[in-house]
């Protein structure tokens, strides 16, 4: 994408040119397979004013980007309803937590209903199969062509004759009518969903998985019902009046078993979201006029004073004003070690207070809270589509009509080329084709992997903003790292205190000895009046060593040179080498020491007291503890690492040598960073840019993948495709590892779904029968179909065990 905007950016620009676009997520009911998803996505996409429509079979919703001038949310809901599916207007004031809780409740309810119907259907099917034994033995050879029944006759029938001899004395007509009643109950209760949805699809001139199941079981049921009601009609035409009620009930039961397993597995793919939602406490302890009250969270206001005791979850974001404790933020940031919190530190709602009590001022409530932003971002990511999904969409769009055609050809081929096999064998083969075909596996192959992967990433503090970013990450071969705040901490610190040897303990003109204590105390006092970042580093160093800072008089700042002030009657000069020369300070004794610190990437600050050089204080933006390890991991992953910085060449090269990056681009402004990214892309490199999301925003947007380093409480990084909740470069390698593993699982899923149908459908049609005499039972076909989509979801769930750090 060298020199061009990413697709998402182009869409935003085009939308801004024409009119303001809006985004809405609409909950949908009634979708059962990939064909439903594909059809509904086309219907929404064809509506006037719709820029983009993504329908998610897993989350049962549609995310639509549209022009509010050309259409509306209510019109989109009407489109969904007119297509045969249920839809409701999204609630305006519903929080992301409430949305997720509703989704989880609906999913649990669906799972329980499917489980009940599956169990009852399997029990009824087992009874029907046992009762069908006497009928099969009395019938012709056509039933014996069913391999399942053939096996049953050889193995199970002798056992039943010995255990239940009375069953073989029951009138065949009585058995048929009982099976008719039992099968009718299963068809009308447990299988009703297949027939109603198939009818709805027919009315809308489309077809889906329900169409295949309804046609397959419906044909067998109607034939069996007719054979029961008027067997003479079939006998007169030379056709055995066999009944297939046991096959109907077992097929419905096994398909429902597959739906149940699939529903349960789908629920596991959203486990990361559920865990995040459960972090939100329902109440908070509010302090008003010194009185504690347990208050529902939705009544908390910005500015309220909250109390959190040891072992309690922090209810909202805020700033500590009293107390000290350690807080477990691992569920949000992936950081396993507790974070120490004291006065003026920020706390994040949903994290766990461990040791001490904290009092803090509440802020960022409701949708603005860190936890709400993470949940919203994760829901959007899990509802997005990876580009590889288009392959599955194209397949799903033609899959069901193709299967219907194959089933018709199968019936005709059996009647033409094997008329001796009989009409029922032709019908059985056609039914088997309809039952074994599974469009769901193809539709679930990609979204399940996206959902599990984004959830797993969130567990490690890696927030990936969608399937497209997840897929692009796999192709990354070059990582460009901003230095300040990314490789380094972004906060200068004092690293060295170097004193002039001969003057270290000498007396000043005032007669007092110049100890290290006095020098540092005086320097920090002067720097306290300065606003320069390096000055703050010296002040913080002095305060950390317990020094009390005296008053400063006659303070003056000289931009680009240094500062001057009077402390306890002594004139203090602090600045660079040029400042010392300007004031005629002799620095010869410390030149070599200062040059050495410069070569190490540090900034030397010269200190003179009463006109005489006394010390050099080295200040540096220190390297983060994990930067060297992370860059080594990037190399191990086959990535080229480039450091990008606005610092001078000497400092940049020094840092580069310490951390082991491959190349350095120094002295660049934000616009220059964009050109640096473009330059690498011109070399056909796929570039990931890692920065802090502020000065690096243009480069982050230009890169193939932008990764922003969050501060733990700030995740609204619009410029990046991935937000790293920990200010730690190891998250970059983890994100790439997650992407590569996810894409591998997606391809496995797509291959399995495609291979299953390509192999299974011809076998069901009887392609192996002429050479090997092998046929597939409709019941066995339904069992294979039930397991196909479940296997795809289960394969995606393996990503939940992926180790990322």
């Amino acid at each position: 994408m060298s020199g061009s905007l990413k697709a998402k950016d182009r869409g935003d620009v085009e939308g801004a040119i024409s009119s303001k676009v809006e985004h809405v997520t609409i909950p949908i009911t009634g979708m059962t397979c990939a064909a439903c998803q594909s059809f509904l996505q086309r219907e929404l996409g064809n509506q006037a004013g719709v820029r983009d429509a993504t329908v998610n079979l897993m989350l049962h919703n549609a995310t639509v980007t549209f022009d509010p001038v050309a259409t509306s949310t209510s019109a989109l809901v009407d489109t969904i309803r007119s297509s045969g599916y249920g839809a409701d207007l999204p609630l305006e004031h519903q929080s992301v937590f409430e949305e997720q809780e509703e989704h989880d409740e609906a999913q649990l309810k669906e799972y329980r209903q499917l489980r009940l119907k599956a169990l009852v259907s399997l029990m009824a099917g087992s009874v029907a199969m046992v009762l069908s034994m006497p009928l099969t033995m009395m019938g012709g050879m056509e039933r014996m062509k069913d391999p399942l029944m053939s096996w049953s006759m050889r193995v199970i029938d002798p056992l039943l004759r010995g255990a239940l001899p009375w069953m073989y004395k029951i009138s065949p007509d009585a058995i048929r009518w009982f099976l008719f009643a039992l099968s009718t109950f299963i068809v009308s209760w447990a299988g009703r969903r297949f027939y109603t949805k198939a009818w709805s699809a027919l009315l809308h001139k489309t077809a889906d998985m329900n169409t295949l199941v309804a046609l397959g079981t419906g044909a067998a049921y109607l034939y069996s019902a007719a054979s029961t009601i008027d067997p003479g009609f079939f006998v007169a035409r030379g056709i055995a009046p066999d009944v297939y009620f046991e096959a109907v009930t077992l097929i419905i039961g096994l398909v429902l078993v597959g739906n149940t397993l699939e529903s349960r597995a789908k629920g596991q793919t959203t486990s990361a979201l559920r865990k995040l939602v459960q972090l939100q406490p329902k109440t908070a302890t509010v302090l008003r006029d010194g009185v504690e009250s347990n208050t529902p969270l939705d009544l908390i206001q910005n500015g309220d004073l909250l109390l959190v005791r040891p072992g309690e979850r922090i209810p909202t974001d805020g700033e500590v004003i009293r107390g000290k404790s350690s807080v477990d933020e691992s569920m949000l940031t992936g950081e396993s070690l507790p974070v120490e919190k004291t006065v003026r530190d920020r706390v994040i709602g949903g994290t766990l207070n461990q040791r001490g009590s904290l009092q803090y001022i509440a802020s960022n409530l409701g949708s603005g809270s860190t936890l709400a932003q993470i949940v919203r971002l994760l829901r959007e990511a899990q509802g997005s589509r990876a580009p590889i999904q288009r392959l599955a969409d194209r397949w799903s769009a033609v899959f069901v009509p193709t299967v219907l055609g194959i089933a018709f050809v199968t019936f005709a081929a059996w009647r033409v080329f094997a008329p001796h096999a009989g009409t029922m064998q032709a019908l059985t083969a056609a039914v088997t084709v309809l039952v074994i075909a599974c469009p769901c596996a193809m539709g679930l192959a990609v979204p399940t992997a996206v959902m599990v992967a984004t959830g797993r990433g969130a567990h490690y503090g890696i927030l990936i903003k969608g399937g497209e970013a997840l897929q692009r990450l796999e192709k990354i071969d070059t990582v460009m790292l901003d230095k300040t705040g990314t490789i380094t901490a972004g906060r200068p610190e004092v690293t060295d205190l170097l004193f002039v040897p001969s003057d270290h303990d000498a007396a000043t003109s005032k007669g007092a000895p110049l100890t290290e204590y006095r020098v540092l105390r005086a320097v920090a006092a002067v720097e306290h009046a300065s606003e320069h970042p390096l000055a703050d580093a010296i002040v913080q160093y002095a305060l950390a060593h317990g020094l009390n800072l005296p008053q400063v008089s006659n303070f003056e700042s000289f931009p680009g040179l240094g500062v001057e002030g009077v402390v306890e009657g002594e004139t203090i000069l602090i600045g660079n080498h040029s400042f010392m020369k300007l004031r005629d300070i002799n620095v010869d004794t410390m030149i070599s020491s200062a040059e050495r610190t410069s070569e190490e990437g540090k900034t030397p600050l010269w200190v003179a007291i009463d006109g005489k050089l006394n010390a050099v204080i080295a200040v540096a933006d220190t390297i983060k503890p994990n930067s060297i390890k992370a860059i080594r991991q990037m190399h191990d992953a086959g990535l080229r690492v480039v450091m990008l910085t606005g610092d001078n060449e000497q400092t940049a090269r020094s840092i580069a040598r310490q951390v082991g990056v491959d190349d350095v681009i120094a002295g660049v402004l934000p616009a220059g960073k964009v050109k640096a990214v473009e330059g690498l892309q011109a070399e056909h490199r796929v570039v990931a840019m890692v920065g802090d999301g502020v000065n690096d925003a243009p480069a982050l947007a230009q890169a193939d993948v932008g990764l922003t380093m969050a501060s733990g409480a700030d995740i609204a990084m619009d410029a990046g495709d991935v937000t790293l909740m920990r200010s730690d470069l190891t998250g970059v390698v983890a994100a790439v590892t997650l992407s590569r593993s996810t894409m591998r699982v997606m391809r496995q899923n797509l291959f399995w779904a495609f291979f299953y149908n390509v192999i299974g459908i011809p076998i069901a049609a009887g392609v192996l029968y002429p050479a090997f005499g092998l046929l597939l039972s409709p019941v066995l076909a339904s069992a294979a179909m039930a397991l196909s989509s479940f296997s795809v979801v289960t394969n995606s769930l393996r990503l939940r065990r992926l180790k990322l750090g």
Side-chain angles (χ1 to χ4, degrees):
M1 59 159 282
S2 176
S4 64
L5 290 171
K6 287 178 278 194
K8 63 171 187 172
D9 300 316
R10 287 198 299 272
D12 291 343
V13 172
E14 291 167 1
I17 292 173
S18 60
S19 66
K20 182 181 178 182
V21 296
E22 291 185 6
H23 308 273
V24 65
T25 299
I26 304 170
I28 301 173
T29 58
M31 291 193 299
T32 55
C33 73
C36 303
Q37 174 183 280
S38 180
F39 167 70
L40 200 48
Q41 198 159 271
R42 287 197 309 274
E43 289 295 298
L44 286 170
N46 290 334
Q47 299 305 304
V50 172
R51 303 292 173 79
D52 182 65
T54 299
V55 177
N56 193 295
L57 178 62
M58 298 288 293
L59 294 175
H60 296 284
N61 63 27
T63 302
V64 186
T65 302
F66 64 96
D67 183 349
V69 175
T71 188
S72 64
T73 301
S74 58
L76 296 173
V77 169
D78 290 340
T79 298
I80 296 171
R81 289 173 177 171
S82 63
S83 300
Y85 302 91
D88 295 303
L89 287 168
L91 299 177
E92 290 185 12
H93 303 294
Q94 191 176 39
S95 70
V96 289
F97 301 105
E98 292 169 335
E99 288 179 18
Q100 186 60 37
E101 285 172 350
E102 278 191 11
H103 174 267
D104 292 338
E105 289 174 5
Q107 195 169 52
L108 181 60
K109 181 180 179 182
E110 178 191 50
Y111 166 70
R112 287 172 175 169
Q113 290 176 343
L114 287 170
R115 183 179 60 183
L116 174 64
K117 291 181 178 181
L119 287 173
V120 173
S121 298
L122 287 180
M123 290 171 61
S126 300
V127 171
M129 190 170 183
V130 169
L131 289 174
S132 296
M133 293 296 182
L135 297 180
T136 303
M137 296 306 295
M138 297 172 191
M141 292 301 294
E142 288 194 2
R143 290 302 308 267
M144 298 300 291
K145 292 172 185 172
D146 183 326
L148 181 62
M149 291 306 298
S150 178
W151 174 81
S152 299
M153 291 303 101
R154 293 194 312 272
V155 178
I156 297 179
D157 182 69
L159 297 175
L160 287 176
R161 284 182 179 275
L164 304 171
W166 54 268
M167 187 177 68
Y168 288 80
K169 299 176 182 178
I170 300 175
S171 165
D173 288 339
I175 293 176
R176 286 192 182 94
W177 280 101
F178 176 79
L179 292 177
F180 176 40
L182 183 62
S183 180
T184 300
F185 166 70
I186 295 299
V187 166
S188 59
W189 175 64
R192 185 174 184 272
R193 66 198 306 261
F194 302 124
Y195 304 106
T196 55
K197 293 181 186 300
W199 178 250
S200 177
L202 179 62
L203 293 178
H204 293 91
K205 299 177 182 178
T206 184
D208 56 21
M209 181 202 76
N210 301 292
T211 306
L212 302 179
V213 176
L215 280 175
T217 58
Y221 172 78
L222 292 175
Y223 180 90
S224 301
S227 296
T228 300
I229 296 170
D230 189 6
F233 174 84
F234 294 89
V235 172
R237 288 160 177 76
I239 303 173
D242 291 330
V243 293
Y244 291 81
F245 292 124
E246 84 288 348
V248 172
T249 52
L250 283 173
I251 289 171
I252 289 175
L254 288 168
V255 172
L256 286 172
V257 166
N259 293 162
T260 304
L261 294 173
E262 182 183 312
S263 177
R264 183 174 182 272
K266 283 180 182 177
Q268 292 175 322
T269 64
T270 58
S271 62
L273 264 174
R274 276 198 302 277
K275 289 177 181 176
L276 284 174
V277 170
Q278 290 166 1
L279 294 179
Q280 176 86 6
K282 300 298 183 184
T283 61
T285 302
V286 181
L287 292 173
R288 291 193 176 100
D289 299 324
V291 179
E292 296 182 17
S293 62
N294 200 33
T295 306
L297 204 61
D298 55 2
L299 298 181
I300 302 298
Q301 299 179 357
N302 279 319
D304 278 348
L305 178 60
L306 306 184
L307 170 66
V308 186
R309 294 185 173 88
E312 294 180 343
R313 289 209 174 271
I314 295 172
T316 69
D317 294 358
E319 183 175 318
V320 178
I321 64 167
R322 188 174 295 112
K324 184 177 181 180
S325 182
S326 58
V327 176
D328 180 3
E329 297 181 347
S330 59
M331 272 303 296
L332 301 184
T333 66
E335 176 58 65
S336 57
L337 296 176
V339 181
E340 296 299 318
K341 300 290 182 180
T342 187
V343 177
R344 297 184 64 184
D345 285 338
R346 290 196 57 78
V347 290
I348 308 173
T351 55
L352 181 64
N353 183 35
Q354 291 191 325
R355 279 206 313 259
S357 293
L358 294 173
Q359 292 183 25
Y360 72 97
I361 302 297
S363 63
N364 298 335
L365 302 178
S367 61
S369 71
T370 301
L371 185 58
Q373 289 183 63
I374 293 174
V375 171
R376 184 185 304 107
L377 193 152
L378 191 53
R379 281 177 59 87
E380 290 172 357
Q382 295 191 340
S384 66
R385 297 165 70 239
I388 198 174
Q389 177 70 36
R390 298 189 190 106
L391 175 65
D393 289 344
R394 288 195 295 268
W395 172 258
S396 300
V398 299
F399 182 83
V400 175
T402 301
V403 171
L404 292 173
I406 293 173
F408 177 80
V409 170
T410 297
F411 180 85
W414 274 94
R415 294 301 296 135
V416 171
F417 297 109
H420 58 280
T423 302
M424 274 313 299
Q425 179 52 50
L427 180 60
T428 299
V431 167
T432 306
V433 167
L434 293 172
V435 170
I436 200 171
C438 183
C440 293
M442 187 67 71
L444 294 170
V446 174
T448 53
V450 170
M451 292 183 73
V452 179
T454 51
R456 189 60 175 166
H459 177 77
Y460 282 93
I462 303 166
L463 302 180
I464 300 174
K465 296 186 179 180
E468 185 177 352
L470 188 65
Q471 183 167 339
R472 284 202 308 268
L473 264 171
E474 181 203 23
K475 301 298 183 183
I476 293 301
D477 57 30
T478 303
V479 178
M480 184 171 280
L481 305 174
D482 176 59
K483 181 183 78 69
T484 306
T486 303
I487 294 177
T488 62
R491 297 183 303 275
E493 297 178 1
V494 173
T495 59
D496 301 274
L497 292 175
L498 307 174
F499 292 90
V500 177
S502 59
D503 292 344
H504 184 193
D505 295 319
T508 66
S509 58
K510 307 296 186 296
L514 283 172
T515 63
E516 294 180 10
Y517 166 83
R518 285 194 59 219
V519 172
L520 181 59
R521 183 170 173 267
V523 169
V526 175
E527 293 287 25
H528 191 259
S530 174
E531 295 180 355
H532 197 281
L534 298 183
D536 185 63
I538 295 175
V539 173
Q540 295 303 320
Y541 182 84
L543 294 177
H545 285 74
L547 302 185
N548 295 317
L549 306 186
Q551 293 294 316
V552 178
S553 61
N554 301 328
F555 174 82
E556 191 172 358
S557 175
F558 301 88
L561 294 171
V563 293
E564 179 180 7
V566 176
V567 178
E568 297 177 339
E570 296 173 334
T571 301
I572 313 296
L573 295 179
I574 311 159
N576 57 25
H577 187 222
S578 299
F579 192 35
M580 296 296 112
K581 289 180 65 177
L582 187 67
R583 292 302 186 90
D584 294 325
I585 306 295
N586 185 352
V587 299
D588 292 345
T589 56
M590 297 295 288
I591 283 289
S592 59
S593 297
E595 288 178 346
R596 186 178 68 252
T597 60
S598 293
E599 291 171 358
E600 294 172 353
K602 304 170 185 177
T603 301
L605 296 176
W606 303 78
V607 178
I609 298 179
D610 287 339
K612 193 171 184 179
L613 183 68
N614 183 265
V616 172
I617 300 177
V619 179
D621 185 3
T622 56
I623 295 169
K624 291 180 180 177
N626 285 328
S627 290
I628 296 174
K629 171 187 173 184
I631 291 170
R632 185 169 62 249
Q633 289 176 342
M634 292 179 201
H635 287 143
D636 293 341
L639 300 172
R640 177 187 176 193
V641 185
V642 179
M643 188 177 80
L644 198 62
T645 178
D647 284 351
N648 63 69
E649 186 80 18
Q650 185 180 29
T651 301
R653 292 288 176 188
S654 174
I655 297 294
R657 284 194 299 271
Q658 293 178 59
V659 298
V661 299
D662 300 303
D663 200 4
V664 177
I665 303 175
V668 292
L669 298 174
K673 293 181 180 182
V674 173
K675 292 185 182 298
V677 174
E678 290 175 340
L680 288 172
Q681 290 173 332
E683 298 173 8
H684 306 291
R685 311 288 298 189
V686 185
V687 182
M689 172 68 192
V690 187
D692 61 11
V694 183
N695 294 329
D696 305 313
L700 288 165
Q702 175 60 37
D704 296 279
V705 179
L707 297 96
T708 55
M709 310 282 282
S711 61
D714 178 19
I715 66 162
M717 303 292 190
D718 293 332
D721 303 292
V722 179
T723 298
L724 305 177
M725 291 296 292
R726 277 187 292 169
S727 188
D728 184 343
L729 280 177
T730 55
V732 177
V733 184
V736 173
T737 301
L738 177 63
S739 172
R740 291 175 177 177
S741 298
T742 303
M743 292 306 300
R744 185 163 56 250
V745 167
M746 285 183 189
R747 294 187 182 100
Q748 290 170 353
N749 287 348
L750 288 170
F751 171 78
W752 163 247
F754 184 79
F755 178 80
Y756 163 82
N757 285 295
V758 167
I759 298 299
I761 291 174
I763 293 175
V767 72
L768 298 179
Y769 184 72
F772 304 101
L774 293 178
L775 288 173
L776 189 62
S777 164
V779 174
L780 294 178
S782 64
M785 188 271 240
L787 292 174
S788 62
S789 55
F790 173 68
S791 65
V792 164
V793 181
T794 302
N795 190 44
S796 295
L797 286 173
R798 291 192 303 115
L799 290 169
R800 293 200 307 172
R801 300 192 298 271
L802 184 66
K803 299 294 183 182
L804 297 177

